Amino acid sequence: MARLLILGAGIAGHTAALHARSLLGSNHEVVVVSPNSQWNWIPSNIWVGTGYMKPEQVTFALAPVYQKLGVPFYQAKAVSLHPEGDSRQSKPFVSIEYTSSEKRGQIEQLTYDYLINATGPKLNFDATAGLGPEKNSLSVCTYGHAAQTASALEESIQRMKRGERQTLLIGTGHGNCTCQGAAFEYLFNVEFELRRQRVRDKARLVWISNEAELGDFGMGGMFIKRGGYITHSRVFTESLYTERGVEWITQAHVKEVLCGETAYETLDGEEKSVKHDFAMLLPPFSGVSLRAYNKANEDITSQLFAPNGFMLVDGDYAKKPYDEWKPEDWPETYQSPKYKNIFAVGIAFAPPHPISKPMTSVKGTPIFPTPPRTGMPSGVMARQVAYNIVDMMKGKASEPTRKASLARMGAACIASAGANSLSGSAVSMTIYPIVPDFNTYPDTGRALRYTSGEIGLAGHWIKHLLHFAFLYKAKAKPLWRVVPE
Ligand SMILES: Cc1cc2nc3c(=O)[nH]c(=O)nc-3n(C[C@H](O)[C@H](O)[C@H](O)COP(=O)(O)OP(=O)(O)OC[C@H]3O[C@@H](n4cnc5c(N)ncnc54)[C@H](O)[C@@H]3O)c2cc1C
């Protein structure tokens, strides 16, 4: 019997677990380690953050689902990897530390034959002074943060109802943030909520981000074909901000969040600040802090992980100027070059370089988005990696055969811009490929045929439908495979 050990039960890890368990017979084991007892459909956290949904509508308990599937589940966090075993254990193993109330703090070793690291991001609030829900700003990254943010928003709305004016600052809290799309969704859901509660005239809404221009979204922006002409996502996004009365600050590295004021540096080196009554600023991401040790118990973390904590896989990590970036730099199989039985999927793998053009302020501060890794690609790469590992466990292949490069993959994303089944809207975007390929598509880097953007009510319905569809799938209910990643 061989064991596939999966670290992390988020979008990527849980997808890998579902597929691997359904494909492997009872001869092999699939084991999941994750610190949270709940599964969270993170994209709907933005709706928790406005009070449109409650945390229990975006979560469910993982243990009963894994019990139904026959997947041993350890509510614990992985602490260290030992890919060669150690002096007492000949097999590779992972040290885990329990987080469940019954066993909190206890350490255990779990051996594996194959390992998937799907531990997602560490929310690195410490990178910016004063950033985060324990300090001076709010977040929607977890359902707990989002619920706290909803209370703060409600308080702000009550003040507006009493006649006070409020400034709401929404965006990214560091020069190297990703996930601009999530902050964008939150911005427009707040704007919608303010209108719904008839206090929009009392609010100044300000967007702040590290993008070079609106509509970059960490993907270097995109060209889309609309009504017979080609336009850029910057034009599309600026129109939306103008139409909904949102001010914007781009090219900003947030340096410090104080109570009621955020200080930032711009690409041209200016030091500025914006005052606010409410600030929802996403943190930058790093990898979760896993260490790695060889058989002699020497620290080999730097051989498995990039300095930012993300796992090195089969990408080309050689440092190159922007002009020399190639689609081939991007990983295809997500296999560790050092240990062939280790894989990293979702946010946990180290991208070879950004997608947006790197920019540095005149003072030398890097200010540009790091690559977005949204749910659909995370799920697709997790599925492909699970299939590859299953083949290897069953002896059908000796190496990964399926590929899932972001430079050969398209993505669809629906960004909510107001949640209501009659008056809501959402921006529906498709993009192909995610990483631009200027060799194949010299003018725009992407296939215009498959790269589109449209805003409307239908997008909201689809977003809402997908909320239920993905929760249904994650609960492994009958025919869950019909729901795509
Ligand atoms: C507010 C918000 C809104 C978003 N909206 C969208 C959207 O509309 N569409 C979209 O496509 N994408 C969206 N995204 C992005 C999407 O959520 C991510 O792409 C996706 O969650 C990545 O999946 P993942 O499995 O890599 O990471 P996660 O889903 O974060 O999962 C990581 C898992 O690892 C676990 N873990 C952490 N540390 C350890 C450890 N030491 N050991 C074991 N397990 C560990 C975590 O508890 C978690 O279960 C949004 C993100 C945010 C923050």
Side-chain angles (χ1 to χ4, degrees):
M1 175 179 288
R3 175 186 284 172
L4 165 60
L5 178 58
I6 300 174
L7 308 179
I11 291 182
H14 190 60
T15 302
L18 290 182
H19 283 287
R21 184 62 282 166
S22 78
L23 294 168
L24 284 169
S26 51
N27 292 341
H28 299 294
E29 236 186 331
V30 178
V31 174
V32 174
V33 172
S34 202
N36 198 326
S37 63
Q38 302 291 304
W39 192 80
N40 177 202
W41 177 239
I42 294 175
S44 294
N45 287 356
I46 50 133
W47 286 339
V48 176
T50 57
Y52 178 69
M53 283 190 172
K54 298 282 170 223
E56 48 277 19
Q57 290 172 277
V58 303
T59 54
F60 63 82
L62 278 166
V65 175
Y66 285 137
Q67 192 174 17
K68 174 175 80 176
L69 295 172
V71 170
F73 172 56
Y74 293 77
Q75 195 193 329
K77 61 176 180 186
V79 182
S80 55
L81 312 186
H82 304 259
E84 301 169 7
D86 67 5
S87 55
R88 277 168 297 173
Q89 173 58 262
S90 59
K91 288 197 76 166
F93 68 90
V94 174
S95 275
I96 63 166
E97 182 184 325
Y98 282 92
T99 53
S100 59
S101 50
E102 316 82 62
K103 290 184 159 184
R104 188 177 303 277
Q106 287 181 35
I107 305 280
E108 196 171 318
Q109 294 180 353
L110 286 180
T111 59
Y112 63 83
D113 297 281
Y114 288 90
L115 181 72
I116 297 181
N117 172 13
T119 47
K122 173 180 156 190
L123 305 175
N124 194 9
F125 291 108
D126 290 341
T128 303
L131 184 71
E134 286 169 11
K135 295 176 187 157
N136 298 320
S137 63
L138 299 151
S139 151
V140 288
C141 288
T142 70
Y143 56 88
H145 291 170
Q148 181 188 355
T149 300
S151 303
L153 178 64
E154 183 51 31
E155 200 184 308
S156 189
I157 290 173
Q158 289 310 321
R159 284 175 182 274
M160 291 184 230
K161 285 187 174 167
R162 291 197 295 269
E164 284 181 43
R165 289 195 64 80
Q166 297 271 290
T167 299
L168 292 83
L169 180 72
I170 296 174
T172 56
H174 188 275
N176 284 138
C177 280
T178 176
C179 247
Q180 288 76 16
F184 167 96
E185 285 191 282
Y186 188 65
L187 170 75
F188 285 105
N189 273 269
V190 167
E191 198 275 334
F192 182 85
E193 186 60 17
L194 297 177
R195 273 191 281 134
R196 195 185 69 82
Q197 299 223 28
R198 302 184 190 286
V199 290
R200 182 66 185 88
D201 58 323
K202 292 277 179 293
R204 178 181 169 220
L205 270 177
V206 185
W207 167 257
I208 187 164
S209 105
N210 55 344
E211 298 158 288
E213 55 188 22
L214 283 188
D216 180 284
F217 294 121
M219 298 185 299
M222 57 184 181
F223 287 93
I224 45 182
K225 202 168 183 180
R226 285 167 59 89
Y229 65 94
I230 295 164
T231 188
H232 192 264
S233 51
R234 179 180 60 78
V235 178
F236 181 91
T237 314
E238 284 183 358
S239 306
L240 184 63
Y241 279 57
T242 307
E243 178 197 312
R244 300 215 182 165
V246 179
E247 297 168 38
W248 66 85
I249 301 165
T250 50
Q251 308 185 349
H253 162 61
V254 170
K255 295 177 84 166
E256 186 170 13
V257 188
L258 301 164
C259 186
E261 187 166 358
T262 287
Y264 61 96
E265 177 189 335
T266 60
L267 267 182
D268 51 20
E270 280 189 275
E271 303 282 344
K272 294 185 168 178
S273 74
V274 51
K275 288 198 171 24
H276 46 74
D277 304 284
F278 170 105
M280 196 301 289
L281 298 173
L282 296 181
F285 291 172
S286 62
V288 306
S289 312
L290 292 175
R291 308 298 304 176
Y293 299 92
N294 66 11
K295 193 159 185 78
N297 216 23
E298 291 158 342
D299 194 316
I300 53 164
T301 307
S302 62
Q303 296 175 33
L304 271 87
F305 295 93
N308 58 13
F310 294 121
M311 189 172 249
L312 299 167
V313 291
D314 60 318
D316 180 351
Y317 293 99
K319 288 223 177 320
K320 304 176 196 179
Y322 176 72
D323 296 342
E324 291 173 26
W325 291 354
K326 295 191 304 295
E328 297 75 41
D329 300 339
W330 287 78
E332 294 184 317
T333 63
Y334 304 92
Q335 187 177 38
S336 161
K338 173 116 179 115
Y339 297 101
K340 302 288 182 193
N341 58 348
I342 299 183
F343 296 78
V345 290
I347 292 175
F349 85 87
H353 44 67
I355 298 175
S356 301
K357 189 170 182 173
M359 308 247 186
T360 307
S361 80
V362 292
K363 292 182 177 166
T365 309
I367 307 180
F368 58 90
T370 46
R373 274 155 300 162
T374 53
M376 184 178 164
S378 298
V380 170
M381 66 179 81
R383 184 194 65 215
Q384 296 299 71
V385 165
Y387 273 58
N388 283 336
I389 293 176
V390 165
D391 281 354
M392 292 188 283
M393 286 172 86
K394 286 181 166 177
K396 288 185 186 168
S398 57
E399 56 183 37
T401 52
R402 294 173 188 79
K403 297 177 176 172
S405 164
L406 296 188
R408 308 266 176 260
M409 194 194 293
C413 183
I414 301 178
S416 174
N420 184 286
S421 33
L422 293 177
S423 55
S425 62
V427 181
S428 307
M429 285 181 281
T430 59
I431 184 165
Y432 179 88
I434 298 169
V435 174
D437 177 351
F438 287 98
N439 293 332
T440 314
Y441 312 103
D443 294 334
T444 61
R446 297 194 173 97
L448 285 176
R449 203 169 156 206
Y450 305 114
T451 302
S452 62
E454 197 62 68
I455 185 163
L457 174 61
H460 169 71
W461 292 344
I462 298 170
K463 178 100 184 167
H464 212 121
L465 194 74
L466 289 177
H467 164 91
F468 293 113
F470 287 124
L471 278 162
Y472 182 92
K473 174 179 179 151
K475 288 178 184 168
K477 295 211 169 175
L479 301 176
W480 62 264
R481 281 164 161 282
V482 174
V483 181
E485 273 67 49

